[in-house]
Amino acid sequence: KNSVVPMALSLINKAIDFAFAMLYVRLLGPVGTGQYAFVVAIYGFFEIISRYGLGTLLTRDVAADKGQSSRYLTNVMVLRTLLWLASLPLLALVVWGYRVVGDVEWLDATGIGMEEIQAIAILALAMLFANWADGLSSLFYAFEKMEYPAGLTNAIALFKVTLGALVLLLGWGYVGLAAVSLAMNILQTVWLYILVRTTLFRPQWQPDRALQQWMLRVSGPLMINHLLATIFWRIDIWILRPLAGAASVGLYSVGLKYLDGLNIVPSVFTMAVFPL
């Protein structure tokens, strides 16, 4: 159940995402698609840093001792909020670097535009809610109820595609898509919290400074493992954007869509086995 149901729902979700990609690639064109792919690649990198492997740690330890649920959830949420705040200056520095790289003549590179900066800023705020939502989802993994976050993800995907198509048809571009992501992340966080209260337990506020320090030490390698796996898969977009331009990134990102779908099978099975 914990493998097949999330896998089937994830494949459906990928099909929805793939159909939506056909729409936005058509409407945004190679340049707009490349700019959006670059924004998402930047976002994904910093999302991993601010999550810091704490979701994996929560699933691992709460699966072993359900009595630690509220304690772990509280401190994961606190740490993720602080890590998100700490990551913002670094994100701003990276964005500034990509903005000014086009002014360096001998590099023969292309800088990013204001629309990309606006989209990154909106997604930076969305990242906080995504991190909270991931912490709540990790509880369902610990309790071996993977179908709840998987089903919710499908519902959110349908809302996201509907609103995304609307903003694209209104001409708001990928900045509008970033705003839709923010709205959907907020909705998902609230929805997951309600599901936790109604299906698992009523969370209690239990901050613990010593536990937070221990979590930072232990979850660091978990974050690095996730980060390296992602860098191998996405660092090419970071390189292509200034050297080859947005249109090249757009065409390249379309090809990646096919491979992204295949990653669901091993990742979902791994998460089903992990709590055991």
Side-chain angles (χ1 to χ4, degrees):
K1 183 258 296 182
N2 286 329
S3 291
V4 175
V5 174
M7 196 180 299
L9 291 174
S10 295
L11 289 171
I12 293 172
N13 188 38
K14 280 295 181 182
I16 295 170
D17 180 59
F18 192 82
F20 180 60
M22 293 171 67
L23 174 65
Y24 77 70
V25 167
R26 178 79 174 185
L27 294 178
L28 294 178
V31 173
T33 300
Q35 291 171 337
Y36 184 53
F38 173 75
V39 166
V40 172
I42 293 288
Y43 164 83
F45 182 88
F46 282 92
E47 183 185 59
I48 293 171
I49 294 177
S50 59
R51 288 185 178 183
Y52 204 73
L54 292 166
T56 305
L57 182 67
L58 187 154
T59 298
R60 186 193 74 180
D61 288 8
V62 172
D65 183 2
K66 303 298 193 298
Q68 297 290 330
S69 299
S70 284
R71 183 165 170 257
Y72 267 72
L73 178 62
T74 297
N75 292 284
V76 164
M77 293 300 195
V78 170
L79 282 176
R80 283 194 165 169
T81 303
L82 295 175
L83 288 165
W84 172 75
L85 288 171
S87 70
L88 292 181
L90 181 58
L91 174 59
L93 181 62
V94 170
V95 171
W96 175 80
Y98 274 100
R99 174 66 171 173
V100 302
V101 72
D103 298 330
V104 183
E105 293 184 5
W106 60 270
L107 278 179
D108 191 24
T110 305
I112 63 175
M114 282 305 301
E115 284 192 344
E116 286 165 284
I117 295 174
Q118 291 170 1
I120 291 173
I122 295 171
L123 288 179
L125 179 57
M127 187 189 307
L128 176 62
F129 295 96
N131 290 351
W132 288 347
D134 179 75
L136 294 167
S137 294
S138 298
L139 283 173
F140 287 97
Y141 298 144
F143 280 81
E144 298 182 64
K145 295 182 180 294
M146 284 75 166
E147 66 273 15
Y148 283 93
L152 177 58
T153 299
N154 269 69
I156 293 295
L158 288 172
F159 288 138
K160 189 174 182 178
V161 165
T162 302
L163 289 177
L166 179 61
V167 300
L168 286 175
L169 294 173
L170 289 174
W172 295 353
Y174 59 86
V175 177
L177 292 181
V180 169
S181 294
L182 171 59
M184 291 300 99
N185 285 356
I186 294 172
L187 175 60
Q188 187 172 22
T189 302
V190 173
W191 202 336
L192 278 169
Y193 180 74
I194 293 171
L195 282 174
V196 167
R197 289 181 62 90
T198 55
T199 62
L200 299 181
F201 62 92
R202 290 182 174 271
Q204 304 294 321
W205 183 253
Q206 297 178 2
D208 186 332
R209 182 66 60 84
L211 177 62
Q212 291 172 21
Q213 293 173 351
W214 176 83
M215 282 180 163
L216 284 175
R217 291 195 304 270
V218 174
S219 61
L222 301 173
M223 182 274 290
I224 292 173
N225 178 61
H226 190 188
L227 184 63
L228 289 176
T230 303
I231 286 178
F232 295 151
W233 192 240
R234 285 293 180 267
I235 195 65
D236 42 11
I237 290 181
W238 286 54
I239 298 170
L240 280 172
R241 178 63 184 89
L243 296 183
S248 295
V249 175
L251 297 174
Y252 181 71
S253 67
V254 171
L256 286 179
K257 282 288 180 184
Y258 292 92
L259 298 177
D260 279 339
L262 298 177
N263 283 331
I264 292 172
V265 177
S267 64
V268 170
F269 180 73
T270 300
M271 286 307 300
V273 175
F274 183 59
L276 301 174

